[in-house]
Amino acid sequence: MTSARGAPGVTTTALVLTLAWPRPVLLVEADVCGSSSIKAGHLRGEYDHQLSLINLALAHRGGALNLDTLRGQTIALTDDRGRLVLPGLATRAQAASLTETFWESLATLLKAVSGHGVDVIVDAGRLGMRHGPDPLLRTADLLAVVSRTGLDDLVAVRANADQLPGTEADAVMERRGLLLVGDGRPHRANEAADATTLPVWASVAWDPLTAERVNGRERVRTSLTRVGNSRLIRSGRAAIAELADVDDRRRRVLGRPTGHPDARVGGSVGV
C-alpha cells in the first residue's frame, strides 16, 4: 500500500487488514519516514526497540539476508503468532542505508515468504520518497493506493498516478487500484474512480475511535474482542474479500491458480 500525499491512513489501513487477514500474514513497515508507528503505537513500545528493517539492510550488506534473518526481526502482533510485523526504521536518517539493491533483494525474499504460505502486506508510505521501496511496489501482486475521498485527496492521486511503479500493462490487468478510507466522505467510489482514472477496489470505514484503539490508545494486542466487531475491522474483512476478487480476476488473465486468501498460496499486497 502507498499514498499520493501525507497521512491518508496507509499504516492504519495496513494494520487493520493484517489484524483481519484470514491466513498467516506478515506486515512489512517499509515507510522510510522513520519512527515505527506500529512498534510505538499498536505494540505500545513494549518490544525490543532494536528489531527493525535497518538490521536487514545491514545483513544484506554482509551477504546474510535470508529467511532466518527476516524471521529474527519480526514481532507477533497477536498471541496466535499468525500475524507478524517487520518494524520500520527508527529514524529518517537510516533510510540512506536502504539501497535499490537491498529493496530488490528484499522483494525476492518476500516472494519466498509468500511461497511458504504466508501472505505479505507492505506499508510503503508516501509514493516517491527518496530511498523508498519502489521495488516492493513493482513486484507486489496488487498495488493499492490508499486515499481519502476529499477532492484535494483525489486530485493528488490523479496528479501522481503516472508515477506509480509498473507498466501500462499493469493498468490494463488491474494491478493498480484505489483503497478508499471513508467512502462517501464526501465523494463516492464511482466519483473517485472518475477523478483519479484508477479502479476502486475496496474501502474501509471512517472510524476514528477504533483507529485510535488499534493504534495503541488501548491494549488490544492480546485480544481483538474489543474491536473485532467495530465498523473498521468489519470493513477490513470486507476489503480483504474484495481484494481477493481483484486478485482472482488478475490471476485468470495471467493463467494462474485462483482462490480466496484462506485457500490459495500466499501473495502480496503493496499496501
Side-chain angles (χ1 to χ4, degrees), residues 13 69 109 131 133 149 168 171 179 183 187 210 224 227 259:
T13 302
T69 54
L109 187 61
H131 307 298
T149 63
E168 291 184 7
L179 203 166
D183 184 8
H187 295 291
T210 303
L224 295 178
V227 298

Side-chain angles (χ1 to χ4, degrees), residues 13 16-17 20 179-182 202-207 210 227-243:
T13 302
V16 165
L17 293 189
L179 203 166
L180 298 179
V181 177
S203 64
V204 293
W206 177 258
D207 185 356
T210 303
V227 298
N229 290 320
S230 66
R231 291 178 60 240
L232 184 57
I233 298 297
R234 292 200 310 270
S235 69
R237 296 190 187 105
I240 290 167
E242 291 168 320
L243 291 170

